[in-house]
Amino acid sequence: MSESKLRFLVFGAHPDDIEFGCGGILLAEASRGSEIALCVCSRGEAGSNAAPNEREAEAREAAKLLGATIEFLELGGDCHLQISPANNIAVARRIRALRPDVLLAPVASLDQHPDHVIVSHLCRNGARLARYAGLAALRELPAHAVQHHLEYAITPGSEPPDHRGKIRVDISAHCVRWVEVMECHQTQLRTRRYVELQTARARLLGLEAGVEYAQALYATGDFLIQSLADLPASVRIF
Amino acid sequence: MSESKLRFLVFGAHPDDIEFGCGGILLAEASRGSEIALCVCSRGEAGSNAAPNEREAEAREAAKLLGATIEFLELGGDCHLQISPANNIAVARRIRALRPDVLLAPVASLDQHPDHVIVSHLCRNGARLARYAGLAALRELPAHAVQHHLEYAITPGSEPPDHRGKIRVDISAHCVRWVEVMECHQTQLRTRRYVELQTARARLLGLEAGVEYAQALYATGDFLIQSLADLPASVRIF
Amino acid sequence: MSESKLRFLVFGAHPDDIEFGCGGILLAEASRGSEIALCVCSRGEAGSNAAPNEREAEAREAAKLLGATIEFLELGGDCHLQISPANNIAVARRIRALRPDVLLAPVASLDQHPDHVIVSHLCRNGARLARYAGLAALRELPAHAVQHHLEYAITPGSEPPDHRGKIRVDISAHCVRWVEVMECHQTQLRTRRYVELQTARARLLGLEAGVEYAQALYATGDFLIQSLADLPASVRIF
Amino acid sequence: MSESKLRFLVFGAHPDDIEFGCGGILLAEASRGSEIALCVCSRGEAGSNAAPNEREAEAREAAKLLGATIEFLELGGDCHLQISPANNIAVARRIRALRPDVLLAPVASLDQHPDHVIVSHLCRNGARLARYAGLAALRELPAHAVQHHLEYAITPGSEPPDHRGKIRVDISAHCVRWVEVMECHQTQLRTRRYVELQTARARLLGLEAGVEYAQALYATGDFLIQSLADLPASVRIF
Amino acid sequence: MSESKLRFLVFGAHPDDIEFGCGGILLAEASRGSEIALCVCSRGEAGSNAAPNEREAEAREAAKLLGATIEFLELGGDCHLQISPANNIAVARRIRALRPDVLLAPVASLDQHPDHVIVSHLCRNGARLARYAGLAALRELPAHAVQHHLEYAITPGSEPPDHRGKIRVDISAHCVRWVEVMECHQTQLRTRRYVELQTARARLLGLEAGVEYAQALYATGDFLIQSLADLPASVRIF
Amino acid sequence: MSESKLRFLVFGAHPDDIEFGCGGILLAEASRGSEIALCVCSRGEAGSNAAPNEREAEAREAAKLLGATIEFLELGGDCHLQISPANNIAVARRIRALRPDVLLAPVASLDQHPDHVIVSHLCRNGARLARYAGLAALRELPAHAVQHHLEYAITPGSEPPDHRGKIRVDISAHCVRWVEVMECHQTQLRTRRYVELQTARARLLGLEAGVEYAQALYATGDFLIQSLADLPASVRIF
């Protein structure tokens, strides 16, 4: 395993999206010394089962278990997110402020909560704006280009169909702790079996790849190599 | 750049497919000590501009410039290739005999010479059969699983549409020699401007990725990593 | 639950495909009195871990647990299947002989064992030929049109991407027995964790739909209703 | 035919969208006692051939023939619709107020009037928000989850391509009356041959399915069944 | 309307495919002096309702009404067609012998009679082989490249989904005669309402484009123009 | 080549989009007497390398070389564009005011600058609104329907995947001047090799089609012809 540590900035729409969608990956990264910053775009104000301050407290607890910092971005609140120049710029401002190596965001598939889709687009737009030096609204912060912009799927139904070459991350060594992280969101687990759903999904992604558990990331662009020795392992089991 | 050398087995339908479709990549690999074996599935018997023995001589000359071994597989001849159990097994036999780390084959897009599509399917099937120990017809050779099975597009029209996460290989340092390799196929260059077509294409793939020239490879499955430090560089220029 | 019993004809390429791909569905149907006939198109002759007679014995044992009849169709053997008029007709002959209400076959996605794809196409073609009265080769048997022609995915990688409106069948009550059915194929479970893979998959398909376990079927055509009261339940949980 | 009556809520962007896109289906449902509520999101203020009050009068006349209630939702007016949190909530409020079993909305294909696409997205978002109990703006109304959320295509060009498993509804017995319903929109028929277009389309969808006339509905999710006896009839004619 | 006459070669799998799939277009072309040659790849030997000699007689009658020549190609017979080098070459031989400007063939969509798909592929392969001068089997005939290779869809279910830029041909002036052409195939009309199906379809394609009746052709490649004045009319009605 | 002159209205998001994406086509049209009007929807205010007034000056210089008029539309500024009724109407107003035969706009593929996508949608919406006579906000200008609405791809990554039947325009005679037009945007060429990127791309599109250089246009709808003699040349080289 490589020794180089990375700086992560991870966006989610609601207080539990990140933990469910890529929590195991973040634990794997934290365990090798990477720095993780979470940026949550609402406090789950529309949820059926908890008040926003409870949701925020759960997310802060989960972030602590992840070894991550967490902040809440004010973009209008749960179910009130919108793609707008102001929101694109707000996301770009966080990217410039934190200067991550890796940006993680939800995928943009339509078949999921509309806030997930909107945060996906805000991150795509924000990552571009973070690079454009001339943008007056962001002039106080130097431009920044991330090294990797990858996406995660919060629910199985939002996994991009027919995506060849996706990245599976082995999270076998972190699965127990990942369950603990997800279980921080107790208010959300009263009516939906999210933890079982996510572990069944990680089990399937792992077994297909010959390991115990895996979570997937989707590239938003191509890769560039000097030699095929630079490629990660290919999955060819079944 | 990684130091580890790899063993390549590269399939093509006709004597010039490999050189046009991934010749620059092979030069890059050969330059760092990888072993390259070419397996050509016809002698171009249907071509307008040359006899099969001329085509074979050109291919042997090109293989020499590539620093590769070359063999011709008898599968019925140019425009007579077929997907059949016997041909699947013939390909699997070469894989078992040569035991490559990396298998390169044409993509299977429909909009190209039908022989290209057939060789693509023969390689997909052959790579599976090479792994199945019980296959009576191959019992004399031990089963073998390749580490990477990647595909190359011989013509721009056959590039798989909408493939996110494809692999671009920087061939900038090898472009002059790649032109020499392609120019070995003099009989094919009399009526078609293949060399200009391929260099324009590599120029475009390279400039988009921030280098001078690149050729692309398409993953046939997912990748598995332990950490994002294992990922190759992402292309994010335009 | 409806009381009407159905006659099933289920095709698979290898001795364990049916059990892994739709075994739970068949148990659910058998439990309500439907008749199940399995038609296996090889004896797994190319497999690494068992002789064909062992594979056949395992399949016969599994069929017994399923409460199904089983027959083996001679189409050239494992890894030697082909799409050909003769094989299309051989499949059509079984359809005419058994006159099923429901035909189940593998999906035709490319990313799986080529024999699976071939059996999928043989069933599509055979189901048509079974209906054409003029076909000389089948004149001894009256033409037959199935009521439903549905497909199952043997591996998760072969699930048709972006298929809206697929049919999930609740197999929660039959999951324990389904594991017993799959475990009949002991020779295949030595090197691959198929049972865990399939149960993780059924768990995921089930939890998404609000039940414990489910397996999916893919329609090959449209449905016709007189009123929306005729529709089965829609899945709308996450 | 099933006896159970259903409560329908049907959204359209302009005064004639519902009648053209699924009028025959609504007549079939009304004839068996289902309750139909239409919700029209503009008064066609941008149309070339009539004033908004004429358009509204035509729609009210058509609703009467359909045996449906009708209301007009103020979302900015024809050609001024937008996807916004406020509009999502406005749609969710109608769903909570009327508590339908079945929600019908336009498909979201891009190749049609932009208002159609926007109403499609507003319904997808609104149907979710209707279920989230915590949403402050809707607290006065209890949360509601629809049983079926299906979509209809107003024009042939907006039919979702490559949608397997769509639902065709036999409207043969209601076609004469459906033409009368469409002809209520006289101002729209002066320059466009909508009635002929829609009946040609229903004729084609019907003949393919072995009946006289049919209209299609597109599932937005999967179906869940206990047994294949629960499936509606499959279309397998040509 | 342009004055230049064209030479057409039209392939079909069965005796009525061409008439149903593009008969109106052929009448339009014949009326302006183009030469039409039909090449039918079976005699419908598997059909339920007629003997092969009846089918052939019907096709010859239809060809007469179309003002076309007709020949029957022996490729194994109805339901016995195969993609093979020999059959590819047989098609290429007809192309070289007749030297058409325009080649019309069925589309290759999977959801139709397998013979249609096979003839589509034979034509794609044959059109290439017709151009390769070195092919020993065809050396007696000079190589030939068609100007246009377009495809037609025999049934509505086989229309390529999401094909932007397809070509609609106005057949309004020829619709009555087209029905007469289709009605030559009396034996096929006893159990299936093909004529109504095809006219409903042409009505829909026509009304959408602002004319009475149209049939569609699908490009197999791009177009090259010197100026936008060279473009045919765009359809922009609804 | 046809003699008829056309009136063009071309939309771009930033001062160099039009020149890079279809500058060669516009030169070809201008050379035969067509009138070209450019409408640029920002002044590139967010760019890294120049002030808006420099960007505007460069665009005016390029327009002069193109022989085109140019205007700047105020829609919020670079990186602040939005799809909104007001912006749709602003675009429709330009269409009604200029009454073009041909409307050119960027493609709507997601993988490019978000402003490009937004301008694409504004043009799709605006072209519709320009036709609706009842729209109060535009009543001062008579309705107008364009003859052709075609799209261009500013970057290679935004080319619509799998688009069969696209239009390639031969720009070989105008390539030198096109480079001069692109080089007007000197401030943009300091950090990105856009001119080399675009000429490599045009070279590839041209060589594939048998000419020196070409740029591509994508149809937004179908074409309608009376006879196949009306079709432009098909590209069938490789």
Side-chain angles (χ1 to χ4, degrees):
Chain A
M1 195 191 304
S2 170
E3 294 305 305
S4 69
K5 295 164 186 183
L6 296 164
R7 191 186 297 248
F8 280 73
L9 175 56
V10 192
F11 280 85
H14 308 115
D16 52 6
D17 292 349
I18 294 171
E19 291 84 339
F20 289 137
C22 62
I25 294 171
L26 298 182
L27 283 167
E29 287 297 328
S31 78
R32 41 180 291 280
S34 288
E35 283 172 54
I36 321 277
L38 312 184
C39 188
V40 181
C41 300
S42 81
R43 284 181 178 79
E45 295 86 350
S48 310
N49 298 305
N53 65 325
E54 289 178 89
R55 301 295 304 278
E56 182 179 333
E58 291 176 340
R60 291 195 182 278
E61 181 63 23
K64 212 152 78 181
L65 285 191
L66 283 169
T69 63
I70 185 167
E71 65 178 322
F72 291 83
L73 203 55
E74 293 295 343
L75 299 176
D78 186 5
C79 295
H80 290 75
L81 301 187
Q82 278 189 284
I83 303 170
S84 70
N87 287 352
N88 289 336
I89 288 170
V91 166
R93 183 172 288 119
R94 299 320 303 149
I95 295 171
R96 288 202 183 179
L98 293 168
R99 309 185 73 71
D101 302 308
V102 180
L103 175 68
L104 298 186
V107 297
S109 311
L110 284 182
D111 200 7
Q112 57 178 333
H113 194 299
D115 287 348
H116 301 175
V117 188
I118 289 167
V119 171
S120 182
H121 286 292
L122 292 179
C123 288
R124 293 205 174 199
N125 297 348
R128 282 186 173 272
L129 300 196
R131 287 160 35 198
Y132 298 154
L135 206 65
L138 293 176
R139 211 160 279 160
E140 78 278 13
L141 291 163
H144 177 71
V146 300
Q147 283 175 36
H148 294 296
H149 176 178
L150 300 159
E151 295 180 336
Y152 63 93
I154 299 167
T155 50
S158 67
E159 292 174 5
D162 214 4
H163 189 294
R164 291 184 295 161
K166 70 171 173 286
I167 311 298
R168 299 187 193 218
V169 186
D170 182 0
I171 61 164
S172 307
H174 308 279
C175 201
V176 173
R177 195 166 176 83
W178 177 41
V179 170
E180 291 168 20
V181 167
M182 290 191 284
E183 287 179 343
C184 290
H185 295 281
Q186 273 306 320
T187 62
Q188 301 311 294
L189 305 180
R190 288 177 202 148
T191 52
R192 290 280 180 275
R193 297 160 74 178
Y194 288 115
V195 173
E196 286 163 288
L197 183 81
Q198 295 296 352
T199 50
R201 194 179 161 213
R203 185 79 176 131
L204 185 56
L205 284 165
L207 286 168
E208 278 186 291
V211 299
E212 296 300 314
Y213 291 90
Q215 286 194 294
L217 293 175
Y218 300 88
T220 61
D222 291 349
F223 294 104
L224 178 69
I225 60 176
Q226 298 298 320
S227 131
L228 272 78
D230 299 343
L231 278 184
S234 288
V235 174
R236 306 208 61 76
I237 304 289
F238 293 99
Chain B
M1 196 190 304
S2 171
E3 293 306 304
S4 70
K5 295 164 185 182
L6 297 164
R7 191 187 297 249
F8 280 72
L9 176 56
V10 192
F11 279 85
H14 309 113
D16 51 7
D17 292 349
I18 295 171
E19 291 85 339
F20 289 137
C22 61
I25 294 170
L26 299 181
L27 283 167
E29 287 296 328
S31 78
R32 41 179 292 280
S34 287
E35 285 173 52
I36 321 277
L38 311 184
C39 188
V40 181
C41 300
S42 81
R43 284 181 178 78
E45 295 86 352
S48 308
N49 297 305
N53 64 325
E54 289 178 272
R55 299 296 304 279
E56 181 179 335
E58 291 176 341
R60 292 194 181 278
E61 181 63 22
K64 211 152 77 181
L65 284 191
L66 281 170
T69 64
I70 185 167
E71 66 178 321
F72 291 83
L73 203 54
E74 293 295 344
L75 299 177
D78 186 4
C79 294
H80 289 75
L81 301 187
Q82 279 189 282
I83 302 170
S84 70
N87 286 353
N88 289 335
I89 287 169
V91 166
R93 183 173 287 118
R94 299 319 303 147
I95 294 171
R96 287 202 184 179
L98 292 168
R99 309 186 73 71
D101 302 307
V102 180
L103 174 68
L104 298 186
V107 296
S109 312
L110 284 181
D111 200 7
Q112 57 179 334
H113 193 299
D115 286 349
H116 301 175
V117 188
I118 290 166
V119 171
S120 182
H121 286 291
L122 293 179
C123 288
R124 293 205 174 199
N125 297 348
R128 281 186 174 272
L129 301 195
R131 287 161 34 199
Y132 298 153
L135 205 67
L138 294 175
R139 211 160 281 162
E140 78 279 11
L141 290 163
H144 178 71
V146 300
Q147 282 174 36
H148 294 296
H149 176 179
L150 300 158
E151 296 180 336
Y152 63 94
I154 298 167
T155 51
S158 67
E159 292 173 5
D162 213 5
H163 190 293
R164 290 184 295 161
K166 69 171 175 285
I167 311 297
R168 298 186 193 221
V169 187
D170 182 0
I171 62 163
S172 306
H174 309 278
C175 201
V176 172
R177 195 167 177 83
W178 177 40
V179 170
E180 292 169 21
V181 167
M182 291 191 283
E183 286 180 343
C184 291
H185 295 281
Q186 273 306 319
T187 62
Q188 301 312 294
L189 305 180
R190 287 177 202 147
T191 53
R192 291 279 179 276
R193 298 160 75 177
Y194 288 116
V195 174
E196 285 162 289
L197 184 80
Q198 296 296 352
T199 51
R201 194 178 160 214
R203 185 79 175 129
L204 185 57
L205 284 165
L207 285 168
E208 279 186 289
V211 300
E212 296 300 313
Y213 291 90
Q215 286 194 294
L217 294 174
Y218 299 88
T220 61
D222 291 348
F223 294 104
L224 178 69
I225 61 176
Q226 299 298 320
S227 131
L228 272 79
D230 299 343
L231 278 184
S234 287
V235 174
R236 306 206 63 77
I237 304 289
F238 294 99
Chain C
M1 194 191 307
S2 170
E3 294 306 304
S4 70
K5 295 164 185 184
L6 296 164
R7 191 186 297 247
F8 281 72
L9 176 55
V10 192
F11 279 86
H14 309 114
D16 51 7
D17 291 350
I18 295 171
E19 292 84 339
F20 289 137
C22 62
I25 294 170
L26 299 182
L27 283 168
E29 287 296 328
S31 78
R32 41 180 290 280
S34 287
E35 283 172 54
I36 322 276
L38 312 184
C39 187
V40 181
C41 299
S42 82
R43 284 180 179 80
E45 295 86 352
S48 309
N49 298 305
N53 65 325
E54 289 177 272
R55 300 294 304 278
E56 181 179 333
E58 290 176 341
R60 291 195 181 279
E61 180 63 23
K64 212 153 76 182
L65 285 191
L66 282 170
T69 64
I70 185 167
E71 67 178 319
F72 291 83
L73 203 55
E74 294 295 343
L75 299 176
D78 186 5
C79 295
H80 291 74
L81 302 187
Q82 281 189 282
I83 302 169
S84 70
N87 286 353
N88 289 337
I89 287 169
V91 166
R93 183 172 289 118
R94 300 318 304 147
I95 295 171
R96 288 203 184 178
L98 293 168
R99 310 187 71 71
D101 303 307
V102 180
L103 175 68
L104 299 186
V107 297
S109 311
L110 284 182
D111 200 8
Q112 57 178 333
H113 193 300
D115 286 349
H116 301 174
V117 187
I118 289 165
V119 171
S120 182
H121 286 291
L122 293 179
C123 288
R124 292 204 175 199
N125 298 348
R128 281 185 174 273
L129 301 196
R131 288 160 34 198
Y132 298 153
L135 205 67
L138 293 176
R139 210 160 282 160
E140 79 277 13
L141 291 162
H144 177 71
V146 301
Q147 282 174 37
H148 294 295
H149 177 178
L150 300 159
E151 295 180 336
Y152 64 93
I154 298 167
T155 50
S158 66
E159 292 173 5
D162 214 4
H163 189 294
R164 291 184 294 162
K166 68 172 175 286
I167 311 298
R168 298 186 194 219
V169 187
D170 181 0
I171 62 164
S172 306
H174 309 279
C175 201
V176 172
R177 196 168 177 81
W178 177 40
V179 170
E180 291 168 19
V181 167
M182 291 191 283
E183 287 179 343
C184 291
H185 295 282
Q186 273 306 319
T187 62
Q188 301 311 294
L189 305 180
R190 286 175 203 151
T191 53
R192 291 278 180 276
R193 298 162 73 178
Y194 288 115
V195 173
E196 286 162 288
L197 184 80
Q198 295 296 352
T199 50
R201 195 179 160 212
R203 185 79 175 130
L204 185 57
L205 284 165
L207 285 168
E208 279 186 290
V211 300
E212 296 300 314
Y213 292 91
Q215 286 194 294
L217 294 174
Y218 299 88
T220 62
D222 290 348
F223 295 103
L224 178 68
I225 60 177
Q226 298 299 320
S227 130
L228 272 76
D230 299 343
L231 278 185
S234 288
V235 173
R236 305 208 63 77
I237 303 290
F238 293 99
Chain D
M1 195 190 306
S2 171
E3 294 306 305
S4 70
K5 296 166 185 183
L6 296 164
R7 190 187 298 247
F8 280 72
L9 176 56
V10 192
F11 279 85
H14 308 115
D16 51 7
D17 292 349
I18 295 170
E19 291 84 339
F20 289 136
C22 61
I25 293 170
L26 299 182
L27 282 168
E29 287 296 328
S31 78
R32 42 180 290 281
S34 287
E35 284 172 52
I36 321 275
L38 312 183
C39 187
V40 181
C41 299
S42 81
R43 284 181 179 78
E45 295 86 351
S48 311
N49 298 305
N53 65 325
E54 289 179 271
R55 301 294 304 279
E56 182 180 332
E58 290 175 342
R60 291 195 182 279
E61 181 63 22
K64 211 152 76 181
L65 284 191
L66 282 170
T69 63
I70 185 169
E71 66 178 321
F72 290 83
L73 202 55
E74 292 296 343
L75 299 177
D78 186 5
C79 294
H80 290 74
L81 301 187
Q82 279 189 282
I83 302 170
S84 70
N87 286 352
N88 290 335
I89 287 170
V91 166
R93 183 173 288 119
R94 300 318 304 147
I95 295 171
R96 287 203 185 179
L98 293 168
R99 309 187 73 71
D101 301 309
V102 181
L103 174 68
L104 298 186
V107 297
S109 312
L110 284 181
D111 201 7
Q112 57 179 333
H113 193 299
D115 287 348
H116 301 175
V117 187
I118 289 166
V119 171
S120 182
H121 286 291
L122 293 179
C123 289
R124 292 205 175 200
N125 297 348
R128 280 185 173 272
L129 300 196
R131 286 159 37 197
Y132 298 153
L135 206 65
L138 293 176
R139 211 160 280 160
E140 79 277 14
L141 291 163
H144 177 72
V146 300
Q147 282 175 38
H148 294 296
H149 176 178
L150 300 158
E151 296 180 336
Y152 63 93
I154 298 168
T155 50
S158 67
E159 291 173 5
D162 213 4
H163 190 293
R164 291 184 293 162
K166 69 173 174 282
I167 311 298
R168 299 186 194 220
V169 187
D170 182 0
I171 61 163
S172 307
H174 308 279
C175 202
V176 172
R177 194 165 177 82
W178 177 41
V179 170
E180 291 168 20
V181 167
M182 290 191 284
E183 287 179 342
C184 291
H185 295 280
Q186 273 306 320
T187 62
Q188 301 311 295
L189 305 179
R190 288 176 202 148
T191 52
R192 292 278 180 274
R193 297 161 75 178
Y194 287 115
V195 173
E196 286 162 287
L197 183 81
Q198 296 296 352
T199 51
R201 194 179 162 214
R203 185 79 174 130
L204 185 56
L205 284 165
L207 285 168
E208 279 185 290
V211 300
E212 295 302 313
Y213 291 91
Q215 286 193 294
L217 293 175
Y218 300 88
T220 60
D222 291 348
F223 295 103
L224 178 69
I225 61 176
Q226 298 299 321
S227 130
L228 273 77
D230 299 342
L231 278 184
S234 288
V235 174
R236 306 207 61 78
I237 304 290
F238 294 98
Chain E
M1 196 191 306
S2 170
E3 294 305 305
S4 70
K5 295 165 185 182
L6 297 163
R7 191 186 297 249
F8 280 72
L9 176 56
V10 191
F11 279 85
H14 309 115
D16 51 6
D17 292 349
I18 294 171
E19 291 84 340
F20 289 137
C22 61
I25 294 170
L26 299 181
L27 282 168
E29 288 297 326
S31 78
R32 41 181 290 280
S34 288
E35 284 173 52
I36 322 275
L38 312 184
C39 187
V40 181
C41 300
S42 82
R43 283 180 179 79
E45 295 87 350
S48 310
N49 298 305
N53 65 326
E54 290 178 90
R55 301 295 302 279
E56 181 179 334
E58 290 175 342
R60 291 195 182 279
E61 181 63 22
K64 212 154 76 182
L65 284 191
L66 281 170
T69 64
I70 185 168
E71 66 179 321
F72 291 83
L73 202 55
E74 292 296 342
L75 300 176
D78 186 6
C79 295
H80 290 74
L81 302 187
Q82 279 188 283
I83 302 169
S84 70
N87 286 353
N88 289 335
I89 287 169
V91 166
R93 183 173 287 117
R94 300 318 304 146
I95 295 171
R96 288 203 184 178
L98 293 169
R99 309 185 73 70
D101 303 307
V102 180
L103 174 69
L104 298 186
V107 295
S109 312
L110 284 182
D111 200 8
Q112 58 179 332
H113 194 299
D115 286 349
H116 302 175
V117 187
I118 290 166
V119 170
S120 182
H121 286 290
L122 293 179
C123 288
R124 293 203 174 200
N125 297 347
R128 281 185 173 271
L129 301 195
R131 288 160 35 199
Y132 298 152
L135 205 66
L138 294 176
R139 210 159 281 160
E140 79 278 13
L141 291 163
H144 177 71
V146 300
Q147 283 174 37
H148 295 295
H149 176 178
L150 300 159
E151 295 180 336
Y152 64 94
I154 298 167
T155 50
S158 67
E159 292 173 5
D162 213 6
H163 190 294
R164 291 185 293 161
K166 69 172 174 285
I167 311 297
R168 298 186 194 220
V169 187
D170 182 0
I171 62 165
S172 307
H174 309 279
C175 202
V176 172
R177 196 167 177 82
W178 177 40
V179 169
E180 292 169 20
V181 167
M182 290 191 284
E183 286 180 343
C184 291
H185 296 280
Q186 272 307 320
T187 63
Q188 302 311 295
L189 304 180
R190 287 177 203 147
T191 52
R192 291 277 179 276
R193 299 161 73 177
Y194 288 114
V195 172
E196 285 162 288
L197 184 80
Q198 296 296 352
T199 51
R201 194 179 159 212
R203 184 80 175 129
L204 185 56
L205 284 165
L207 285 168
E208 279 186 289
V211 300
E212 295 301 313
Y213 291 90
Q215 286 193 295
L217 294 175
Y218 299 88
T220 61
D222 291 348
F223 294 104
L224 178 69
I225 61 176
Q226 298 299 320
S227 130
L228 272 76
D230 299 343
L231 278 185
S234 287
V235 173
R236 305 207 64 77
I237 304 290
F238 293 98
Chain F
M1 195 191 306
S2 170
E3 294 305 306
S4 69
K5 294 164 186 182
L6 296 164
R7 190 187 298 249
F8 281 72
L9 176 56
V10 191
F11 279 85
H14 307 115
D16 51 7
D17 291 350
I18 294 171
E19 291 85 339
F20 289 137
C22 62
I25 294 170
L26 299 182
L27 283 167
E29 286 297 328
S31 78
R32 40 179 293 278
S34 287
E35 284 172 53
I36 321 277
L38 312 184
C39 188
V40 181
C41 299
S42 82
R43 285 181 177 79
E45 295 87 352
S48 309
N49 298 304
N53 65 326
E54 289 178 89
R55 302 295 304 279
E56 181 179 334
E58 291 175 342
R60 292 197 181 278
E61 180 63 23
K64 211 152 78 181
L65 284 191
L66 282 169
T69 63
I70 185 168
E71 66 178 319
F72 291 83
L73 203 55
E74 293 295 343
L75 299 177
D78 186 5
C79 294
H80 290 75
L81 302 187
Q82 278 189 285
I83 302 169
S84 69
N87 286 353
N88 289 335
I89 287 169
V91 166
R93 183 173 288 120
R94 299 318 304 148
I95 295 171
R96 288 203 184 178
L98 293 169
R99 308 186 73 72
D101 302 307
V102 180
L103 174 69
L104 298 186
V107 296
S109 311
L110 283 182
D111 200 8
Q112 58 179 332
H113 194 299
D115 286 349
H116 301 174
V117 188
I118 289 166
V119 171
S120 182
H121 286 291
L122 293 179
C123 288
R124 293 206 172 198
N125 298 348
R128 281 185 173 272
L129 301 196
R131 287 160 37 198
Y132 297 153
L135 205 65
L138 294 175
R139 212 159 279 160
E140 79 276 15
L141 291 162
H144 177 71
V146 300
Q147 282 175 37
H148 294 296
H149 176 178
L150 299 159
E151 295 180 336
Y152 64 94
I154 299 168
T155 50
S158 67
E159 291 172 5
D162 214 5
H163 190 294
R164 291 184 294 162
K166 69 172 175 285
I167 311 298
R168 298 186 195 220
V169 187
D170 182 0
I171 62 163
S172 307
H174 309 279
C175 202
V176 172
R177 196 167 176 81
W178 177 40
V179 170
E180 290 168 21
V181 167
M182 290 191 283
E183 287 179 342
C184 291
H185 295 282
Q186 273 306 320
T187 63
Q188 301 311 294
L189 304 179
R190 287 176 202 149
T191 53
R192 291 279 179 275
R193 298 161 73 179
Y194 287 115
V195 173
E196 286 163 286
L197 184 81
Q198 295 297 351
T199 51
R201 194 179 160 212
R203 185 79 175 129
L204 185 57
L205 284 165
L207 286 168
E208 279 186 290
V211 300
E212 297 299 314
Y213 291 91
Q215 286 193 295
L217 293 174
Y218 299 88
T220 61
D222 290 348
F223 294 104
L224 178 69
I225 61 177
Q226 298 299 321
S227 130
L228 273 77
D230 299 342
L231 277 185
S234 287
V235 173
R236 306 209 61 78
I237 304 289
F238 293 99

